[in-house]
């Protein structure tokens, strides 16, 4: 019996993602640009970080476990945010099992060279001046956003769509998470109000990892999104407005 597509899911970075079924079993198929995801899964799984199970890989395609769970907007609207903070605390503890100090200045400079900053109130040097470039390199997720976390009543929180790359530190992970906590990117098209929940999570993160309380690092993570926004799009305008708000 051949696998059958149920529906196409939202994909990023040139990938296509499908909810599939075979023998009455649901699974997710991701096609295109999967190497970064595979490396992330391979790095996280040995440390018992909750990620989907990988079933089968072929060509540039991966079949993986379907997590039947709540998205984080729904979860936070109906649950106390403290268990999520506890999950972050436990996850970062695992990330910090292997660390070293790295100077990321060249990495950041090379990234900023790819972006036209003419429409922003700062230069690359202005931004670099505010960024602590000697940071703790660690295990990491690579794209830690609330859109990439699901909650299942049996499994708890599960990280999906990890990515290997240059942002290889828990610090970049938590600053990436701030695009949702500070800027509400993940609910930009929703009328839901999660202000209290998101502020609570953000403050708990600042208390535990003070280095994350740096708006220049948040701007750097927002530029990761800005780079892939279409010129003149609503998404590009949203990111630009948030970056201008944060730059003081």
């Amino acid at each position: 019996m051949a696998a059958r597509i149920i529906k196409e899911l939202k994909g990023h970075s040139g990938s296509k993602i499908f909810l599939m079924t075979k023998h009455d079993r649901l699974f997710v198929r991701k096609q295109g640009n999967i190497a970064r995801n595979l490396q992330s899964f391979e790095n996280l799984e040995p440390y018992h970080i909750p990620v989907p199970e990988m079933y089968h890989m072929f060509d540039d395609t991966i079949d993986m476990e379907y997590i039947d769970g709540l998205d984080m907007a729904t979860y936070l609207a109906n649950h106390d945010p403290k268990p999520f903070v506890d999950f972050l605390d436990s996850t970062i503890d695992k990330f910090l099992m292997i660390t070293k100090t790295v100077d990321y200045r060249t990495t950041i400079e090379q990234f900023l060279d790819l972006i036209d900053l003419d429409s922003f109130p700062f230069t690359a040097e202005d931004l670099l001046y505010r960024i602590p470039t000697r940071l703790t390199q660690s295990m990491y997720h690579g794209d830690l956003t609330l859109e990439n976390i699901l909650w299942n009543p049996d499994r708890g929180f599960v990280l999906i769509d990890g990515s290997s790359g240059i942002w290889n530190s828990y610090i970049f992970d938590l600053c990436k998470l701030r695009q949702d906590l500070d800027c509400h990117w993940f609910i930009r098209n929703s009328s839901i109000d999660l202000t209290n929940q998101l502020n609570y999570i953000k403050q708990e993160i600042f208390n535990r990892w003070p280095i994350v309380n740096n708006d220049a690092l948040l701007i750097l993570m927002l530029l990761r999104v800005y780079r892939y926004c279409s010129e003149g799009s609503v998404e590009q305008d949203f990111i630009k407005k948030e970056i201008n708000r944060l730059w003081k």
Side-chain angles (χ1 to χ4, degrees):
M1 178 182 177
R4 181 168 58 88
I5 296 175
I6 301 296
K7 64 178 178 179
E8 185 170 359
L9 306 173
K10 182 174 64 174
H12 299 282
S13 303
S15 301
K16 288 189 174 182
I17 306 175
F18 303 94
L19 179 62
M20 311 284 296
T21 183
K22 185 175 182 180
H23 301 305
D24 296 324
R25 182 184 188 185
L26 294 174
F27 64 95
V28 173
R29 174 167 291 173
K30 185 168 187 177
Q31 296 178 328
N33 197 26
I34 65 169
R36 64 191 181 89
N37 302 122
L38 288 176
Q39 186 174 344
S40 177
F41 285 130
E42 290 170 359
N43 291 341
L44 296 177
E45 192 173 28
Y47 294 90
H48 305 291
I49 305 294
V51 295
E53 181 182 352
M54 301 294 103
Y55 294 147
H56 185 53
M57 288 156 277
F58 56 98
D59 299 328
D60 198 18
T61 300
I62 183 170
D63 290 344
M64 69 189 88
E65 177 186 8
Y66 167 67
I67 306 297
D68 184 14
L70 297 180
D71 62 86
M72 286 303 296
T74 304
Y75 174 85
L76 291 173
N78 296 280
H79 296 81
D80 187 334
K82 185 179 184 304
F84 175 64
V85 173
D86 293 340
F87 166 74
L88 282 179
D89 204 16
S90 173
T91 301
I92 299 303
D93 277 349
K94 294 173 183 176
F95 285 176
L96 291 174
M97 291 175 69
I98 302 175
T99 65
K100 65 178 179 179
T101 301
V102 170
D103 190 339
Y104 284 93
R105 184 177 180 88
T106 299
T107 297
I108 297 170
E109 285 177 333
Q110 291 174 347
F111 169 74
L112 292 176
D113 281 344
L114 301 173
I115 301 174
D116 180 3
L117 297 176
D118 288 346
S119 59
F120 294 106
F122 52 80
T123 65
E125 281 300 317
D126 292 334
L127 189 59
L128 272 162
Y129 181 76
R130 299 190 185 185
I131 293 174
T133 57
R134 288 187 61 81
L135 300 170
T136 300
Q137 187 182 86
S138 67
M139 288 191 291
Y140 64 103
H141 177 270
D143 194 14
L144 189 63
T145 67
L146 291 178
E147 289 179 303
N148 285 337
I149 304 171
L150 298 172
W151 181 82
N152 175 277
D154 298 318
R155 295 275 301 273
F157 298 99
V158 180
L159 301 179
I160 63 172
D161 210 20
S163 177
S164 60
I166 61 175
W167 310 109
N168 50 0
S169 169
Y170 81 98
I171 296 169
F172 293 125
D173 269 350
L174 291 175
C175 288
K176 180 70 172 172
L177 187 62
R178 285 189 62 195
Q179 79 178 32
D180 291 328
L181 301 179
D182 287 69
C183 306
H184 301 186
W185 170 261
F186 76 121
I187 52 174
R188 63 192 182 280
N189 297 318
S190 170
S191 61
I192 189 171
D193 183 4
L194 298 175
T195 303
N196 291 337
Q197 296 92 320
L198 298 177
N199 284 342
Y200 169 80
I201 295 169
K202 181 176 71 171
Q203 192 56 56
E204 290 298 310
I205 287 174
F206 288 172
N207 291 341
R208 289 165 168 78
W209 306 284
I211 193 169
V212 178
N213 188 5
N214 181 296
D215 286 347
L217 278 170
L218 171 54
I219 288 172
L220 183 66
M221 296 298 99
L222 288 171
L223 288 172
R224 290 172 59 184
V225 182
Y226 180 83
R227 181 186 174 195
Y228 293 102
C229 291
S230 300
E231 185 65 30
S233 65
V234 173
E235 290 78 14
Q236 186 187 66
D237 289 344
F238 181 98
I239 293 295
K240 190 181 296 185
K241 180 180 178 181
E242 287 301 304
I243 289 176
N244 286 327
R245 177 180 66 83
L246 291 162
W247 184 262
K248 301 169 185 174

